């Protein structure tokens, strides 16, 4: 048996084995082993193993690609099936998760921007989040590198608009249902050329760290996916022995701290529960 870590196994599977059947287009071709797995058309692959041909008329320019390239290794098929199943997972982000914990004091801005980024991520559908997990795993395997988690601390400054100091003030408004609440509005009196009564200034980042936050979220999702794959693939492989990775969840910190993790989506849990009823 060949001893590999999960990253090496994934690269082998997605670069050398799962493109088989896809000719020069590789993974992108609908007849590649990977696309057939994604489409849950496993019968096409098993039929090839039995008959030595792809049992599907298909487009003429695809007909001979499978025969020329051979069939994928059984371990690669296991890898592909397990990676495809990650689409049914969801990402758990615990309260207080802080992607910018290594940054100096930012007057609460870092926490605010992290919370906004998490909110935007959660606004995606479960299907989008699940497909994102799969894309991260496949993309890094093909490129042979980890997601970029670099995040240089952004400079904190007092808010400006058009190069001038920005002022803010809270204003109470009433909506059509009679509900009253406060909103933050522009706090500079343009007519009097001075801040409005009760106006205040606040801090902001000179550059938006949203991309850096999402980069670190992607990195942690990737590591969580690798750990799940290690646990699930180890007992199933026939020609490879997995050695567990010591990759940190928080390489930007001095120690490895807990991060996000993956769990079966609520919809997938309901399906499994229903399927288990006798």
């Amino acid at each position: 048996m060949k001893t590999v870590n999960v990253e090496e196994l994934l690269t082998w599977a997605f670069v050398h084995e799962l493109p088989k059947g896809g000719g020069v287009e590789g993974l992108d071709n609908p007849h590649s082993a990977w696309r057939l797995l994604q489409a849950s058309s496993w019968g096409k692959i098993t039929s090839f193993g039995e008959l030595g041909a792809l049992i599907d008329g298909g487009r003429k320019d695809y007909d001979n690609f499978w025969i020329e390239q051979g069939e994928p290794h059984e371990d690669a098929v296991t890898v592909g099936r397990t990676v495809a199943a990650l689409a049914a997972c969801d990402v758990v982000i615990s309260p207080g998760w802080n992607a910018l914990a290594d940054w100096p004091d930012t007057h609460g801005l870092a926490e605010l921007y992290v919370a906004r980024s998490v909110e935007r991520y959660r606004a995606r559908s479960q299907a989008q989040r699940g497909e994102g997990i799969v894309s991260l795993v496949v993309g890094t395997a093909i490129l042979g590198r980890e997601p970029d988690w670099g995040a240089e601390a952004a400079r904190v400054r007092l808010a400006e608009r058009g190069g001038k100091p920005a002022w803010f003030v809270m204003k109470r408004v009433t909506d059509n249902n009679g509900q009253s609440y406060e909103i933050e509005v522009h706090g500079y009196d343009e007519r009097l050329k001075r801040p409005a009564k009760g106006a205040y200034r606040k801090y902001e980042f000179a550059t938006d760290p949203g991309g850096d936050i999402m980069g670190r979220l992607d990195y942690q999702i990737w590591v969580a996916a690798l750990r799940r794959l290690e646990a699930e693939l180890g007992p199933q492989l026939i020609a490879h022995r997995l050695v567990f990775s010591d990759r940190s969840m928080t390489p930007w910190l001095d120690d490895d701290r807990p991060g996000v993790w993956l769990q079966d989506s609520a919809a997938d849990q309901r399906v499994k529960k229903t399927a288990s009823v006798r």
Side-chain angles (χ1 to χ4, degrees):
M1 299 182 75
K2 184 176 182 180
T3 300
V4 294
N5 62 39
V6 68
E7 293 176 52
E8 293 168 334
L9 181 69
L10 288 165
T11 295
W12 166 76
F14 282 98
V15 173
H16 301 288
E17 296 296 319
L18 294 177
K20 289 180 176 179
V24 295
E25 294 179 337
L27 292 175
D28 290 334
N29 188 287
H31 285 181
S32 69
W34 170 237
R35 293 303 176 190
L36 292 177
L37 275 171
Q38 283 194 307
S40 300
S41 298
W42 190 241
K44 295 180 180 179
I45 295 180
T46 55
S47 295
F48 171 82
E50 295 170 0
L51 305 176
L54 181 62
I55 309 305
D56 185 273
R59 288 171 50 185
K60 295 300 181 182
D61 54 338
Y62 293 154
D63 283 348
N64 295 323
F65 285 174
W66 183 278
I67 297 174
E68 293 171 356
Q69 293 178 297
E71 59 181 316
H73 190 284
E74 186 174 340
D75 278 353
V77 170
T78 300
V79 170
R81 185 189 297 115
T82 309
V83 170
L86 292 175
C89 292
D90 213 342
V91 179
V92 179
I93 306 174
S94 60
W97 180 79
N98 187 1
L100 305 178
D102 57 321
W103 285 21
D105 180 44
T106 62
H107 305 281
L109 283 175
E111 291 79 5
L112 175 62
Y113 274 78
V114 169
R116 287 176 179 173
S117 296
V118 171
E119 184 179 359
R120 286 196 296 269
Y121 178 77
R122 286 175 172 160
R124 301 175 187 175
S125 68
Q126 191 283 319
Q128 290 173 320
R129 294 193 299 268
E131 185 58 34
I133 300 170
V134 175
S135 295
L136 267 175
V137 172
V138 176
T140 53
I142 294 171
L143 295 174
R145 63 170 182 259
E146 64 188 30
D148 182 11
W149 49 264
E152 184 177 353
R155 182 171 63 88
V156 177
R157 68 182 184 189
L158 282 168
E160 297 179 354
R161 296 295 179 269
K164 296 181 179 181
W167 293 86
F168 306 88
V169 68
M170 298 303 295
K171 179 181 179 180
R172 180 166 291 277
V173 297
T174 303
D175 62 21
N176 294 333
N177 297 320
Q179 297 291 322
S180 295
Y181 54 93
E182 289 189 330
I183 60 172
E184 187 178 70
V185 298
H186 181 53
Y188 189 80
D189 191 322
E190 299 293 348
R191 183 176 63 85
L192 298 176
K193 302 298 181 184
R194 67 186 185 191
K197 183 180 179 180
Y200 53 88
R201 296 193 68 191
K202 61 183 182 180
Y203 291 99
E204 67 178 6
F205 285 123
T207 55
D208 188 345
D212 292 336
I213 295 168
M214 294 308 298
R216 287 186 169 179
L217 178 58
D218 280 347
Y219 173 84
Q220 289 202 345
I221 292 172
W222 176 65
V223 174
L226 294 184
R227 292 179 179 180
R228 184 179 177 110
L229 290 171
E230 283 179 336
E232 294 185 354
L233 286 172
Q236 300 184 64
L237 302 175
I238 60 172
H240 294 81
R241 179 185 296 108
L242 271 184
V243 291
F244 288 92
S245 170
D246 58 356
R247 182 176 286 281
S248 172
M249 183 67 77
T250 53
W252 49 89
L253 300 176
D254 292 334
D255 55 347
D256 185 15
R257 299 185 189 177
V260 306
W261 69 93
L262 304 186
Q263 68 177 16
D264 293 336
S265 68
D268 193 51
Q269 289 174 359
R270 286 195 296 271
V271 170
K272 289 180 179 179
K273 184 175 181 180
T274 302
S276 66
V277 176
R278 295 181 183 276

